Amino acid sequence: MSRILARQGDRDFEFKAKNGENLLEILRRGGLELPAPCGGNGKCGKCRVIVDRGRGRESVLACRYNIDGDMEVLLPERGTGEICREGREVDITHESGRGTGRRGLGAAVDIGTTTLAVKLFDLEQGLELGSLGAWNSQSPFGADVISRCQYIMEHEDGLELLKQRVRSQVFELVRELMLSSGRQDDSLEELIAVGNTVMEHIFMGLSPAGIAVAPFRPVSLFTKRDPVYIKHVKALAAPCAAAYVGGDIMAGLLSSGLWDREGLNLFLDIGTNGEMALGGRAGFVTCSVASGPAFEGAGISCGMASMTGAVTAVRWTGKGFETDVIGGGEAKGLCGSGLISLLALLLELGAVDEGGWLLPPEEAPEELSPWLREDDRGNGCLYLSDRVYLTAGDVRQLQLAKAAVAAGIEVLMEELGIGSGDIGRVYIAGGFGSHLDVKAAADIGMLPEELADRAEALGNSALGGAAMALLDMDSREELYRIQEKCRYIELSGDARFNRAFPEHMTFSKEDELEWN
């Protein structure tokens, strides 16, 4: 057996491992947080660590390194930054909980693929006692739900491992909130979890394997009101519309009030999966697009989640680039909103052509030459700093992502026989929407241009909906009625989507005609 000493920040860990075992797998099972957006397939390069076997330090990819003796491992610092826990104010005052006859504490939980957020409530009074957020501890198993499904399918104990990991994290956040509010002697009685369909499956102990492969059949859409008991706590998962339109969308439609509005409004939750709903009081037509992990910063050379050090916006001063960075200080990478902002700017400045080619220095505008270098394939590579840059491959990933979102919106409009002018407002959920420059998203063709001034960021609408359903039984029932009024369109194999997707790959202004 080999002895592994791992250090992350000021914390030390010790593990035993057999020679030949994979280092990333050892670190995963030890509970350490190490980014592996590709799921450990050696493609993203994000799981890089420093290994010291007494012969000097060596930089390696943990997913491609097998144990061959005693060693010390130095891991990158854990991600820090503000987790989106708040949304537009909703009616969850003390009036909501009145007359329910319930005592003790309750938790509303948003289980995102990237982050977790928890609100703790006094059920009797309906009062919020506090909220906390954290980066999802499942991240070493992949940035997207498919990677995590694959891990579960390939490992006999995969479901149990990921289930216990997320449950432990949720209950640890609850415990911290109980301590900080002086309520550690009270008991947690009830919990409502919202998330995409895969995250809800894992949390509730159901295999998501059927969601990962055609015909994309989940074990449950959680339409029954029967709770599962976890640590003597009644746990309920929000109903889902389909395999790829989850309870977080139902909760967002509830808290945003879209479910009770006349006319047609567009609801977007953009991440690894672009989930969307178009409709109102009469019901919704929904779909999901595989936009890839680019909007979460994964699969991008200098991509990162929306945490401290991430660039969220980029501007050109005429003499150079200015950036907005989460937490201030030095830029460490580009999150999704920063990528969109930079791409829109480069299109405006002429550094990226309509086909998506990032021009090399000799073909780009002269004023940008100091920030451009040529790669070994003749493409441009733009440097905001020595540490933060954008490659031609990154632009390609953004093209694929924005085209998928745009094509999904077009299919929803075509399904209802409308144009973009018939949509009242666009509501963008989640932390991504909070940082997003909607005009930049329209400039790259991800959204219809005329809707840019009709867009509104909702913040964490999923957590708001979970809180409403926790405190108010009428709101809880409305959550199920919303699910019943959602009609899902499966886009894989849909001729309209297959036609629209390549049409939205370019950055030509003429493509705006496709929306109407």
Side-chain angles (χ1 to χ4, degrees):
M1 297 289 286
S2 296
R3 181 168 172 257
I4 313 298
L5 294 175
R7 170 166 289 182
Q8 188 168 42
D10 58 357
R11 302 170 67 198
D12 292 328
F13 305 83
E14 183 173 339
F15 309 107
K16 296 290 186 181
K18 296 178 182 178
N19 285 347
E21 287 191 87
N22 179 261
L23 178 57
L24 177 61
E25 190 66 25
I26 296 299
L27 298 173
R28 280 169 166 173
R29 292 183 177 276
L32 283 100
E33 295 182 24
L34 182 65
C38 69
N41 293 313
K43 296 179 180 178
C44 68
K46 305 290 187 183
C47 67
R48 189 168 294 280
V49 298
I50 303 298
V51 169
D52 189 343
R53 297 188 56 213
R55 301 190 298 268
R57 293 186 169 187
E58 178 185 6
S59 176
V60 303
L61 294 181
C63 70
R64 286 294 178 264
Y65 191 88
N66 293 331
I67 305 299
D68 58 353
D70 295 348
M71 66 183 67
E72 294 185 3
V73 182
L74 181 63
L75 283 74
E77 293 277 1
R78 299 167 65 187
T80 59
E82 183 65 26
I83 307 297
C84 185
R85 308 193 301 272
E86 303 301 329
R88 207 169 58 173
E89 186 173 347
V90 295
D91 183 19
I92 50 174
T93 63
H94 68 280
E95 295 293 329
S96 300
R98 188 175 61 187
T100 63
R102 292 178 290 163
R103 294 184 180 275
L105 305 180
V109 182
D110 173 29
I111 306 175
T113 310
T114 305
T115 63
L116 301 181
V118 176
K119 285 181 181 286
L120 185 68
F121 292 89
D122 179 307
L123 289 177
E124 187 173 20
Q125 300 180 67
L127 294 177
E128 181 181 332
L129 301 177
S131 66
L132 278 176
W135 302 100
N136 192 323
S137 62
Q138 296 176 348
S139 59
F141 300 87
D144 56 85
V145 294
I146 297 300
S147 297
R148 296 181 200 175
C149 287
Q150 288 176 337
Y151 184 86
I152 288 171
M153 290 187 287
E154 293 170 0
H155 296 78
E156 186 177 351
D157 62 346
L159 175 59
E160 183 65 20
L161 177 61
L162 267 65
K163 179 191 76 174
Q164 291 302 334
R165 194 150 184 160
V166 69
R167 285 185 179 182
S168 296
Q169 190 175 21
V170 166
F171 279 97
E172 177 59 26
L173 291 174
V174 169
R175 188 188 71 83
E176 289 184 38
L177 287 170
M178 292 170 72
L179 288 171
S180 64
S181 61
R183 305 296 290 270
Q184 59 266 34
D185 293 331
D186 292 345
S187 61
L188 184 68
E189 299 289 343
E190 194 168 351
L191 179 153
I192 290 187
V194 302
N196 62 55
T197 313
V198 170
M199 290 296 101
E200 289 194 8
H201 269 62
I202 294 173
F203 184 75
M204 300 301 278
L206 302 177
S207 173
I211 300 175
V213 294
F216 314 115
R217 289 178 179 167
V219 174
S220 174
L221 291 178
F222 305 102
T223 54
K224 294 182 179 180
R225 276 71 162 173
D226 300 330
V228 170
Y229 282 85
I230 304 174
K231 294 186 176 182
H232 308 292
V233 177
K234 285 195 299 184
L236 195 68
C240 303
Y244 288 103
V245 176
D248 51 351
I249 306 305
M250 303 302 102
L253 294 174
L254 174 68
S255 66
S256 65
L258 265 66
W259 64 275
D260 196 31
R261 292 192 186 165
E262 296 290 352
L264 299 172
N265 294 285
L266 179 63
F267 179 93
L268 298 175
D269 190 342
I270 305 299
T272 305
N273 290 308
E275 297 167 288
M276 55 192 76
L278 178 60
R281 184 175 295 171
F284 296 89
V285 57
T286 68
C287 72
S288 175
V289 298
S291 47
F295 292 139
E296 302 285 353
I300 301 295
S301 302
C302 296
M304 62 185 293
S306 300
M307 60 177 65
T308 300
V311 173
T312 60
V314 185
R315 293 174 297 278
W316 174 252
T317 67
K319 297 182 179 180
F321 293 98
E322 287 183 347
T323 59
D324 292 339
V325 180
I326 296 177
E330 182 186 2
K332 298 178 181 178
L334 292 155
C335 66
S337 59
L339 287 162
I340 290 172
S341 175
L342 178 56
L343 177 57
L345 180 60
L346 295 179
L347 285 166
E348 179 185 348
L349 296 174
V352 174
D353 69 13
E354 291 184 351
W357 184 34
L358 180 54
L359 303 178
E362 65 273 12
E363 297 192 39
E366 185 177 354
E367 59 185 354
L368 297 180
S369 295
W371 289 271
L372 284 165
R373 302 176 194 174
E374 186 172 334
D375 68 16
D376 55 4
R377 295 186 178 183
N379 301 304
C381 185
L382 184 126
Y383 282 77
L384 294 175
S385 68
D386 289 339
R387 185 173 183 177
V388 182
Y389 55 88
L390 185 77
T391 69
D394 298 334
V395 174
R396 180 65 173 177
Q397 291 303 311
L398 280 169
Q399 273 187 282
L400 293 169
K402 76 96 177 180
V405 172
I409 295 172
E410 184 173 329
V411 170
L412 292 185
M413 292 194 302
E414 190 170 334
E415 180 72 12
L416 295 182
I418 65 169
S420 55
D422 299 308
I423 296 175
R425 292 192 68 78
V426 179
Y427 296 90
I428 306 173
F432 176 75
S434 300
H435 290 294
L436 179 66
D437 180 341
V438 179
K439 183 181 183 305
D443 287 344
I444 69 170
M446 191 172 89
L447 299 173
E449 189 170 4
E450 66 180 296
L451 294 182
D453 60 354
R454 303 184 212 164
E456 180 179 341
L458 293 174
N460 197 329
S461 60
L463 188 59
M468 291 175 68
L470 174 72
L471 296 174
D472 179 43
M473 291 302 176
D474 288 339
S475 293
R476 188 177 303 187
E477 283 304 309
E478 194 59 58
L479 197 60
Y480 291 96
R481 285 192 286 271
I482 292 170
Q483 188 269 349
E484 291 169 357
K485 292 195 294 184
C486 283
R487 180 163 57 89
Y488 177 70
I489 300 175
E490 176 54 58
L491 295 183
S492 61
D494 188 292
R496 297 168 298 183
F497 182 80
N498 292 337
R499 181 204 70 239
F501 180 77
E503 290 175 351
H504 286 286
M505 278 290 290
T506 69
F507 297 110
S508 171
K509 284 293 182 182
E510 295 178 0
D511 291 341
E512 183 63 26
L513 298 174
E514 298 293 336
W515 297 104
N516 301 303

